[in-house]
Amino acid sequence: MATPPPQTLPVSCPGCNAQFLVGVELAGKRGRCAKCGAVFRVPEAAAAKPQAAKVVAKVKATQSESPDDSSPQNIRVYCRVCQTMMYGRPDEVGHTIKCPDCGAQTVVPKPEKVKPKQQRTAIDDEDPYELWGVDEAPSVAEMLAAQPKYIPVECRMCQTLMYATEDQVDKQLKCPDCGTANVVPRPAPAKPARSVLSRDEDDIFIDAALDPGERPVLIPPRRPMLYEEEAEAERKRQEEKAARGETRGPRYDTTGRPVMPRWPMATRILPFLISPGVPIRWIVYSFGAFCGLGIGLYGLSISMMGGFGAIGGMCFVAISLIFMLIWFASFAATLLTIITESSAGNDTVQQWPSAVFTDWFVEMFTLLVALLVSPIIGWLAGQVLTQDPVVRVSLSLGSAVVCLPIVVLSQLDVGSMFGVASSRVIASVVRLPGSWLLFYFEIAVLVTLCVGVTIAAKQFPYLSLVLIPLYVGAMILAARILGRLAWKLAETMPSGEDQVAEGR
């Protein structure tokens, strides 16, 4: 095994055991390992001789195992047409390869010699970075003060930002972009650092005499609703009419609420049929009932013919039933709306039911429950008192006429379709019998009128054309009268909270 030449010394790093060959002139000096950065002292030549053969053999073995960077395995080739980058093998030098993109043939050039990277094997003479001792490390302020100060300079021509040192103050600094000479200004004097600790004279004292007290609660103004604006406008019109000496029409108090007349169920009843929104609905519901019943009767007449006519007639009857169901749901919602609006003292309906037909079925079920519950008392009395079917039917109809208004007002008072008996409504029958008797009298007049026209239509067939509009108008008036009765009861009877306060 050959020994190392006399001008080099083998050195082993104590940190990572890396092997180096350094010059003899570096013996006894300190240096840094090129791999791990450990600082150590190069041994003398006499101490390094026993390990020379081992170090040289290890270095040669490392050099033999490392690949030759000067002989690349792949040669980079750019297509002469589309500049696509390809790679060729060393045995393809001088031959052509086909571009995978455009198909052009390109000659593989000879590989260029790659210069090997120079490895750092020598160790610096000067001492590298060292660590401070425990008590020798400077403070952060001292380290910042030791940093060089740079002065920002903005080019007066192109606004390029440059930085100059303190020794360049009052000198010209050339802009690297436009070449304009700029004078370096003097830096602004540094402001003294303010202590983060507060002084006694800096403390804030609050004078108790300056306390404004509790701030009042500010409630933002509320925009009135549409019905409130209409009620206010109506109240102002009534005040103007009263100032002119006119006493007809509704009156309102200072809060905008309608003032109940002396006879609420005898005033503003018939004029309600010509109030806004009522005539058009009267006509539409009358025409709808006429169409629905006409389709049903036409289907029954066809079904009596037999054969395919019976099937077609049943289809017409089914269409009639569906149409009349929707008609009844809409009409029930309208009647309940009239009752609630009239119970508030309104002469006109402020908010009619929506056009969504699914919302109508809730009101329809409310009215259906009232129609089913009302005749129960008469039916039970007929089952106990008599066996005559005519008497039983008469008792059931009478019970329906008498109990239906009580059940509907109870549902509205309780706020549920199943609240068929309200204590306040039942107590009003005893406390206000005159109002109830007047209500039943007006309903009896409407029923008598409808029955009389129906009987007269048998002798005068042309009267049958007005039967449906008569029935629809009578039900609208009945809802109006019931709503006015509810207004009378609400203004006269005590509320539920008042009854609890009275111990009832």
Side-chain angles (χ1 to χ4, degrees), residues 122-158:
I123 302 178
D124 298 336
D125 296 339
E126 300 179 358
D127 292 340
Y129 294 104
E130 298 181 359
L131 298 176
W132 293 98
V134 177
D135 299 330
E136 297 176 355
S139 62
V140 177
E142 294 176 350
M143 295 178 65
L144 293 176
Q147 295 292 331
K149 303 296 187 297
Y150 293 98
I151 304 171
V153 181
E154 185 176 355
C155 178
R156 55 190 175 88
M157 178 63 68
C158 63

Side-chain angles (χ1 to χ4, degrees), residues 285 325-335 353-354 357 360-361 364:
Y285 286 127
L325 179 64
I326 299 175
W327 177 90
F328 179 69
S330 177
F331 192 49
T334 300
L335 292 178
S354 63
F357 72 93
W360 304 336
F361 287 93
M364 181 190 70

Side-chain angles (χ1 to χ4, degrees), residues 280-295 318-336 353 357-358 360-361 363-365 367-368 371 467-476:
I280 184 63
R281 285 172 172 78
W282 186 7
I283 297 173
V284 170
Y285 286 127
S286 300
F287 181 74
F290 179 80
C291 292
L293 294 176
I295 293 173
I319 294 174
S320 174
L321 292 176
I322 297 174
F323 181 83
M324 291 303 297
L325 179 64
I326 299 175
W327 177 90
F328 179 69
S330 177
F331 192 49
T334 300
L335 292 178
L336 291 179
F357 72 93
T358 54
W360 304 336
F361 287 93
E363 313 295 340
M364 181 190 70
F365 287 130
L367 195 56
L368 281 177
L371 291 174
L467 289 179
I468 293 180
L470 177 64
Y471 297 156
V472 173
M475 286 186 284
I476 292 176

Side-chain angles (χ1 to χ4, degrees), residues 309-352:
I311 299 176
M314 296 305 296
C315 293
F316 279 103
V317 171
I319 294 174
S320 174
L321 292 176
I322 297 174
F323 181 83
M324 291 303 297
L325 179 64
I326 299 175
W327 177 90
F328 179 69
S330 177
F331 192 49
T334 300
L335 292 178
L336 291 179
T337 301
I338 293 174
I339 295 173
T340 54
E341 292 282 349
S342 300
S343 64
N346 299 327
D347 281 342
T348 59
V349 177
Q350 305 292 337
Q351 187 69 33
W352 290 101

Side-chain angles (χ1 to χ4, degrees), residues 198-205:
S198 62
R199 299 174 297 178
D200 294 340
E201 55 269 19
D202 296 336
D203 294 342
I204 300 175
F205 297 94

